[in-house]
Every structure is written in structure tokens, then in C-alpha cells.
Amino acid sequence: MLAIALALGAGLGWGTSDFLGGLKSRALPLPSVLLLSQATALALLATATAVRGSGPPGLDFLGQAAIAGLGETLGIAALYRGFAVGTMSIVAPVAAAAPLVPLLAGLAAGQVPGSLQFTGMALAVLGLIITSRRPTAEAGTRPQVSILYGMLAALGFGAFFLTLHNAGQADIGWSLLTARLTTVTVIASVIVLRRHRVAVRRSDLPALAAIGVLIVAADAQYAFASILGPVGVAAVLGSLHTVVTIALARIILKERLSRLQAIGVGVVLAGVLILSLA
């Protein structure tokens, strides 16, 4: 039960940070939002690791953590790029298949879920895909491009779920720090190579810092959840961040849910309920 609560907390944190990041990206350049929020997360993790005073684990675990950082960077980049050049109603549901990566890895390692647990996961994934849909009026004419970027996003986020779990078995703190350092390095390198200008107003700094704090909290909760329980379940519940973002947009920005999205939210909640009972 604790693993489920932590995984849901991770989804809540990621969903809230995505919502805040989306709001700030409307007024600020996306590279600036990504760099400053991720740098805040890195500073928090570096401070926490220094206070703990424990040495790093083996290079194999740090390598897994670095792959987790690369996977998360790939997932974010592919998702945003897919939204920009493809069809959102295709990209989002394909990207929502990310939990299948750790789920299949868990099955290969012998982590076979019970029938009730499997039903809950299946409903949660199905509801996530339904909720991620957009009205067909937004559909474009480049389904192949949309599917490609959606698959890249799913692969990136799925690799993050799996490798952060693997690295966290040695030391969660160092795993989170290594993953975040990798992410910041990649983002900073892209900004330097493309000569993006990083500039924000002082009034925007608290919100950007809050995004970083939420990311750290969500990553930590997921890492603990994936160790305390099956990694597939943690990944499915953590992926509900999409539902959280949509709900916040509905509540704060008064954006309307389509009937299909409302059904998807109901299916997700049914899946979560079954998982908690399992």
C-alpha cells in the first residue's frame, strides 16, 4: 500500500510540475524554463547528498542512473517536438505506453502480477491513453511523424522508469543526483550549441524553483515506490501525471474535458482503486 501511495505521489508531483512548466513556457523561452527548473532540482539533490555524506555506489549503478537522465531528456524532447510538428491526439496516447517498458522488463525478470493487479494496471494504462486523446478536429495529416515521436517519448520515459529503479537499489540519493546531473548537462549543452539566450524575470524565479522541487520529490517517491513494490505498478501509477496535468488545466484554466477524456479519467480511477485493493 505504501508503494502505491508513493507512486501516486510521484504522478501528482510530475503532473503539477508539468502544468507549471507549461504555464511558464507560454511566457518564457522553453530552454530557460527547462534549465533553471532542472538546475534547481540538481542543487537540491547535490545539497542532500553532501549532507548525507555517503560515498557513491559502483559505476554500474551510476551508469544506470545516467541512462535514466538521458531517457527522461529524450522523453521530454520527443514529446514537445511531437506536439510541435505532429498531431497531439496521436503523440500523447502513444507516449502514454511508457509503462510497458518496465512492465515487460519485470515480466522477463519473473515479476508476474496477480490477476487483480494485472487488471488494475491494464485499466490504468487504458484510461491514461484515453485521457491523453484530443478531439479529432485537431488531427493533422502526418500520422507517421506523430507515431514516431510518440514512440521515442514512450521509449525515453520507459527507460527512465526502469533504469532509475535499477540504480535506486544501490543508493537512491546518488541515483537521483546522477540522473539530474545528466539531464542538466544535456540541456545546457543544447543551449550552448544552439546559442539560446537564457533570460527570465526575477518574479518568475519562485515558480521555476517550485518546478525543480516538485521534480525532486516526484523522482524520489517513484524511486522508493519501484523498490517497495513491482516496478511495473510504480511506472503505471507514476504515469498518471498526464491526468493530473489535464485536471489542473480544467480547474485553474477552465479548460474543458471532452466526453472521451472524462471517460478516460474514470477508467484510470477504477484501475487505481483495483490496484489499491490488490
Side-chain angles (χ1 to χ4, degrees):
M1 192 65 184
L2 178 58
I4 291 176
L6 288 171
L8 288 173
L12 178 62
W14 283 327
T16 306
S17 68
D18 288 347
F19 176 74
L20 288 176
L23 281 181
K24 285 302 170 184
S25 295
R26 294 181 177 182
L28 301 171
L30 179 59
S32 298
V33 174
L34 289 175
L35 181 63
L36 293 176
S37 60
Q38 297 290 334
T40 300
L42 177 60
L44 288 174
L45 290 167
T47 301
T49 303
V51 169
R52 287 176 59 217
S54 60
L59 290 178
D60 51 343
F61 290 102
L62 293 179
Q64 291 271 355
I67 294 174
L70 290 174
E72 187 176 36
T73 305
L74 171 63
I76 293 173
L79 191 67
Y80 286 177
R81 183 61 177 168
F83 286 169
V85 303
T87 304
M88 187 177 292
S89 61
I90 297 176
V91 177
V94 174
L100 293 178
V101 174
L103 178 60
L104 292 175
L107 290 174
Q111 295 181 356
V112 181
S115 57
L116 193 60
Q117 198 176 51
F118 184 82
T119 301
M121 286 192 293
L123 283 175
V125 172
L126 176 62
L128 179 61
I129 292 174
I130 294 173
T131 307
S132 300
R133 297 284 296 179
R134 293 293 188 273
T136 55
E138 295 183 11
T141 58
R142 305 178 66 186
Q144 296 84 0
V145 172
S146 302
I147 292 172
L148 173 61
Y149 280 114
M151 291 177 64
L152 287 174
L155 180 61
F157 289 134
F160 168 78
F161 288 140
L162 178 60
T163 52
L164 185 62
H165 160 72
N166 293 338
Q169 296 185 64
D171 189 292
I172 290 178
W174 274 99
S175 299
L176 294 174
L177 175 61
T178 303
R180 194 58 48 201
L181 177 61
T182 303
T183 300
V184 171
T185 300
V186 171
I187 294 173
S189 299
V190 171
I191 289 176
V192 171
L193 290 174
R194 295 195 173 186
R195 299 181 180 179
H196 289 298
R197 182 171 176 265
V198 178
V200 298
R201 297 181 300 269
R202 183 175 298 180
S203 59
D204 291 317
L205 293 178
L208 296 177
I211 294 172
V213 173
L214 287 168
I215 290 173
V216 170
D219 285 0
Q221 288 181 93
Y222 168 76
F224 279 109
S226 68
I227 292 175
L228 294 174
V231 61
V233 174
V236 168
L237 296 180
S239 293
L240 301 185
H241 61 85
T242 299
V243 178
V244 174
T245 303
I246 292 174
L248 288 174
R250 174 69 181 91
I251 295 170
I252 297 176
L253 301 180
K254 308 303 180 183
E255 292 184 358
R256 290 190 175 186
L257 292 178
S258 68
R259 181 174 300 179
L260 186 62
Q261 286 178 315
I263 292 173
V265 171
V267 174
V268 165
L269 294 177
V272 172
L273 177 61
I274 292 174
L275 277 173
S276 64
L277 294 175

